[in-house]
Each structure stands twice: as structure tokens, then as C-alpha cells.
Amino acid sequence: MLAAILTLCGITTVSAQTKQGEWYSSGSMGIGLANFAGDIEDNKSKFGITLNGDIGYNVTDWFAPSIGITNTFQSVGYTVLNKSMHMDVLSVPLLMNFSTGPFVLKAGIQPDFMLSARMNGFSYRDQFKSVSLSVPLALNWNFCQDSDGDLWFVEVRYHLGLTKMNKDIMFSNGWRTPGSIRNSLIMLNIGYKCDL
């Protein structure tokens, strides 16, 4: 797939943003490595699928705010139980995009909405809060420009959890949920960016 994209690209010098005063959109997909951070032990990272979409406005030729939607299918393994928690999380990243040459640095804040959480066929959705907050940090490399001037890019993005995802629950067997579990996710995506 990457070879086909590079074949379609006729220009090797790539600018990071579209022109000042223009709107743009982008879409990307890739893989994510998720885990829990905070008051938890015996957990291990697992891979999942990530889908992203953004709309932004170029205030200058180097700065553009954007809003997007990110859907991540995250899994976290538990060593002791030998099982994995599978989660469907929808995020709304509000980003500031700073460009230089073919690179774009992104930072912002996002609410994360827990859509589902399942383990071993059972729902654990009620043990998680509906909304938590994360800080998305990303580095984007525009590696190719096609004949229409649209860009192909590779992006590494990290979601750093700010607020706890879990509720405080005491179970009948005396076990209670850990004090604070936060989201931790790193993604590698490939995407396409075009003017609106």
C-alpha cells in the first residue's frame, strides 16, 4: 500500500499545511498500543485499531486549530487473570497544530467517552466513568503530495490520561476498584489531508 501511495506522489517537496485562510480535513487509520496508568498492577499493553478524522482552519501558514473525532478499540491484558479488557472509546480532540516544513506538532485536550468495556464476554461498562479527559500529543510527517496537491502523512500520537476513568466500587467479595486508573495510548497512523 505504501509503495502504491509513493508511486502516485509526483512531488517530493511537501509543505506541512494548506494555505493561510483555508479549511482542511484529514482522515487516518492505524494501530494503537493501549494500557492503564495509575493505581493498577499486573496489566500489560495490547494492540488495537484506531480511526481518526479532523477538520481544521489555517490561521497562518504555520498555525491551525482543529477539532476531530477519534475512535479507538483498546485492549488491556491482566496477567493474573490471563484475560483482556476490550474497550471502545470515542474521543473529541481539540488540537493546536504547529507546522514547520513537512512536520506538524500537535497538542491539545480531549474528552474521552467510554462506549463499551467487556472482558470474557461480560460488560464492565458500569465500572467506568462515562467521560474522562486526556491530553493528545502528536508528531505528523507529510511524506508525499499527490497531483492534486493533497498530502499523505504518517503520525505518531499519544493520549496521556489526565482524569481517572474508573468509578469507586466495592464488590461483595471485599475487592474494590483501584484508586485511579487513567488512559494511556500510543498510536501509529497513516492518513490523507485535503483542502475543503
Side-chain angles (χ1 to χ4, degrees):
M1 182 174 141
L2 184 57
I5 293 170
L6 292 172
T7 302
L8 291 173
C9 295
I11 301 174
T12 56
T13 303
V14 179
S15 61
Q17 299 281 49
T18 50
K19 295 179 183 177
Q20 179 177 342
E22 291 185 349
W23 291 86
Y24 68 87
S25 67
S26 69
S28 64
M29 66 179 300
I31 56 172
L33 186 62
N35 207 338
F36 289 139
D39 303 323
I40 189 167
E41 297 177 355
D42 299 319
N43 56 313
K44 58 183 179 180
S45 301
K46 293 266 188 172
F47 285 100
I49 301 297
T50 66
L51 303 169
N52 303 278
D54 294 281
I55 294 177
Y57 179 74
N58 290 286
V59 177
T60 69
D61 59 357
W62 59 269
F63 171 70
S66 67
I67 185 170
I69 292 181
T70 298
N71 194 191
T72 55
F73 301 94
Q74 305 177 29
S75 294
V76 176
Y78 290 93
T79 306
V80 173
L81 300 175
N82 197 26
K83 295 175 182 176
S84 296
M85 178 77 71
H86 303 283
M87 299 169 293
D88 184 1
V89 182
L90 186 70
S91 304
V92 182
L94 305 170
L95 296 170
M96 300 292 108
N97 302 269
F98 304 93
S99 64
T100 175
F103 298 100
V104 182
L105 181 64
K106 304 179 179 183
I109 194 163
Q110 68 184 27
D112 300 315
F113 301 92
M114 180 69 73
L115 302 182
S116 68
R118 302 189 68 81
M119 183 167 60
N120 200 32
F122 295 97
S123 175
Y124 287 79
R125 171 64 189 82
D126 60 349
Q127 295 186 24
F128 290 92
K129 294 184 175 184
S130 298
V131 184
S132 57
L133 288 177
S134 296
V135 171
L137 303 167
L139 180 62
N140 180 309
W141 173 47
N142 297 313
F143 66 88
C144 180
Q145 189 172 15
D146 65 18
S147 58
D148 295 326
D150 299 329
L151 301 172
W152 288 92
F153 63 86
V154 173
E155 180 181 274
V156 176
R157 185 181 295 198
Y158 179 61
H159 291 179
L160 172 65
L162 281 184
T163 62
K164 62 188 293 185
M165 302 170 65
N166 60 304
K167 296 178 181 177
D168 294 318
I169 299 174
M170 175 70 80
F171 295 89
S172 58
N173 62 2
W175 186 82
R176 66 179 305 127
T177 53
S180 177
I181 295 176
R182 299 185 310 279
N183 194 15
S184 178
L185 173 68
I186 188 166
M187 298 184 287
L188 177 63
N189 300 312
I190 184 167
Y192 187 72
K193 178 180 174 183
C194 62
D195 295 337
L196 292 178

